[in-house]
Amino acid sequence: MTHHIKHLLPLLLVSGLTAMAACVLERKPDEARTEVRASEKDRIEHFASPSSLYAQTQADDITRSRHNAITHAVAVASPSVVGINVTEVREYQVRDPFSFFFEDDPFFGPFMRRRNQILRQEVKSLGSGFFISSDGYIVTNSHVAGNAAKIVVTTIDGKQHHARLVGADDLTDIALLKVDDGGPFPALKLGDSDDVIVGEWTIAMGNPFGLFEISNKPIVTVGVVSSTGLNFPDVQGRSYRDMIQTDAAINSGNSGGPLLNANAEVIGVNTFIYTGGGAGSIGIGFAIPINRVKKIVEELKAKGRIERSFKTGISVQALTPQLARYFGVEQGQGVVVVNVEKGSTADRAGVKVGDIIVEADGQKVRNEQELMFAVRELRAGDILKLKVIRDRKMLEIAVKLEKQ
């Protein structure tokens, strides 16, 4: 019995396979095509499912595309940006309205003058800044911290540090602070503002409306460089020259924060906005170019102030139509020298009465104000380079500015 079973098994297997093959061969063509389409559908659905390799690759590609130059720059720069809280002490004089009538009275005068009081009031404000060195030096605006009695700096880890004012230059609106506790601090790389390209990406970072303190991280806005080399009329005695314009949103509290390029390099210090007569930003902000800031910071670090007490030894006046015709130049082309102080460096350098100054320190001069703008940001000991027209010829003269 066993012997017959052993021999029947191969036969049963063969006959079974033959039967299965016959079944397949006997299927109708439409049924076979239907099965193939169903199989293909299953395969496509498998690769399109979230757990498939294809879907995962797509998700990875999208994730990688979200990480770009802007997000990288923000990640690099964020630890270097700080929020600044400032306390100023402002003085107000309160006069008795009747004291004017009795100031000269020998009896009531001293009493009434004593009624005129000087009141002192603490005023709190906020702004932004950024580390420029690992040992704690911070750049911000002078209008943020230049008159501060107390300065508290908040870093990205939420820690608060007392900072001291190293020096401030109101004319250029730059202040230098120093944190002496903690460190080393992450410093931002200072770029080259002369290399800024109109249309390139910009990133503004800072502490608008005090939001830094809420999130313990700087607020980020992104835009482009809208324009460069913009000169503005003085604002409260401050000179805003060669400014960078950006459409990255800058708001109250952003002052003193960095304006970065896509390489996480500082190209400017955010300083003021244009409101169009309103109270808030309309998308136009301005930054002091970082190359200008570098020079100020180095002098503040060394001396604590900018020495601007100097004299040129030159007096000038605007060109009237008559003077322009007399000297053979166009009206509005320069200013005429009307006096040169004898023995001054201008005198020794060769400046003469009647010279027409058409350029000063690389800036065109069309009137007395433009000459003042070109000269006043120089320091005692600097060389003032002048281009003058004399006898219808162009000359170049270098005048060393003397300390007063």
Side-chain angles (χ1 to χ4, degrees):
M1 184 71 174
T2 304
H3 174 76
H4 290 296
I5 290 174
K6 288 181 180 178
H7 284 81
L8 285 171
L9 282 173
L11 292 174
L12 291 170
L13 289 172
V14 171
S15 62
L17 290 172
T18 304
M20 289 174 63
C23 246
V24 173
L25 290 173
E26 288 174 3
R27 286 182 185 168
K28 295 179 180 179
D30 289 343
E31 292 177 350
R33 281 196 297 270
T34 301
E35 183 172 309
V36 170
R37 284 197 297 270
S39 176
E40 181 66 18
K41 182 181 178 183
D42 290 343
R43 187 175 68 85
I44 292 171
E45 288 178 349
H46 168 72
F47 280 106
S49 66
S51 60
S52 71
L53 179 61
Y54 174 76
Q56 187 60 47
T57 302
Q58 276 194 321
D60 290 344
D61 288 344
I62 292 171
T63 300
R64 281 192 293 270
S65 70
R66 292 169 56 212
H67 294 274
N68 52 40
I70 300 298
T71 58
H72 175 73
V74 169
V76 169
S78 290
S80 305
V81 182
V82 301
I84 299 176
N85 284 276
V86 171
T87 302
E88 294 183 30
V89 178
R90 296 180 183 175
E91 294 185 348
Y92 303 89
Q93 185 177 29
V94 180
R95 293 179 60 86
D96 188 298
F98 298 102
S99 65
F100 175 79
F101 300 101
F102 297 96
E103 284 181 349
D104 296 328
D105 188 282
F107 180 77
F108 290 104
F111 171 73
M112 296 303 294
R113 282 193 292 271
R114 283 196 297 271
R115 289 173 62 89
N116 296 332
Q117 301 178 21
I118 300 295
L119 299 181
R120 291 176 175 81
Q121 181 181 9
E122 284 193 351
V123 178
K124 297 183 183 295
S125 60
L126 54 83
S128 309
F130 56 96
F131 286 108
I132 61 169
S133 65
S134 60
D135 56 348
Y137 282 100
I138 295 171
V139 166
T140 187
N141 284 133
S142 178
H143 78 258
V144 170
N147 297 312
K150 181 181 178 182
I151 305 170
V152 177
V153 167
T154 304
T155 49
I156 196 171
D157 56 7
K159 293 181 180 178
Q160 293 188 331
H161 307 264
H162 288 282
R164 58 184 173 89
L165 178 66
V166 176
D169 182 38
D170 281 337
L171 184 63
T172 57
D173 203 5
I174 296 298
L176 183 65
L177 313 180
K178 179 71 163 61
V179 173
D180 293 316
D181 63 301
F185 299 100
L188 280 175
K189 182 179 179 181
L190 305 185
D192 180 3
S193 52
D194 292 337
D195 191 42
V196 167
I197 305 169
V198 174
E200 72 170 298
W201 287 109
T202 56
I203 307 162
M205 303 182 75
N207 181 29
F209 310 114
L211 295 175
F212 188 108
E213 278 74 13
I214 297 174
S215 63
N216 287 335
K217 56 186 176 183
I219 306 304
V220 179
T221 55
V222 177
V224 298
V225 174
S226 305
S227 186
T228 59
L230 299 173
N231 297 325
F232 293 88
D234 283 14
V235 179
Q236 297 179 341
R238 298 187 176 99
S239 174
Y240 295 118
R241 316 289 292 170
D242 200 30
M243 300 290 281
I244 298 171
Q245 180 181 325
T246 179
D247 63 353
I250 296 173
N251 289 286
S252 177
N254 268 118
S255 291
L259 184 68
L260 306 160
N261 61 20
N263 291 328
E265 298 169 334
V266 183
I267 57 173
V269 177
N270 300 319
T271 300
F272 66 90
I273 61 174
Y274 181 71
T275 63
S281 172
I282 62 171
I284 300 177
F286 301 93
I288 303 169
I290 198 63
N291 287 1
R292 189 182 189 197
V293 175
K294 291 175 186 175
K295 298 176 183 178
I296 299 297
V297 164
E298 287 305 312
E299 192 164 345
L300 289 177
K301 190 183 292 187
K303 302 178 181 178
R305 62 190 179 92
I306 305 297
E307 180 55 71
R308 299 193 190 279
S309 179
F310 61 80
K311 60 181 180 179
T312 62
I314 303 171
S315 298
V316 300
Q317 75 171 53
L319 276 173
T320 64
Q322 295 80 6
L323 286 173
R325 285 196 299 271
Y326 177 80
F327 289 109
V329 297
E330 295 181 9
Q331 186 179 0
Q333 183 186 6
V335 294
V336 60
V337 177
V338 295
N339 184 58
V340 179
E341 186 178 325
K342 189 174 182 179
S344 66
T345 53
D347 183 31
R348 295 195 297 271
V351 179
K352 298 185 181 299
V353 172
D355 285 347
I356 309 298
I357 300 174
V358 295
E359 189 174 299
D361 205 38
Q363 299 183 43
K364 296 291 184 183
V365 172
R366 291 180 291 265
N367 51 53
E368 296 160 288
Q369 187 181 45
E370 288 188 343
L371 178 61
M372 180 187 68
F373 282 154
V375 171
R376 66 177 177 171
E377 289 189 29
L378 298 173
R379 271 82 98 190
D382 283 352
I383 302 297
L384 173 61
K385 297 178 181 178
L386 300 175
K387 283 188 178 180
V388 306
I389 296 175
R390 181 187 301 166
D391 298 329
R392 303 176 190 267
K393 297 178 181 178
M394 185 72 74
L395 303 174
E396 294 187 5
I397 302 175
V399 179
K400 185 175 182 179
L401 300 177
E402 296 178 314
K403 185 176 181 179
Q404 284 186 329

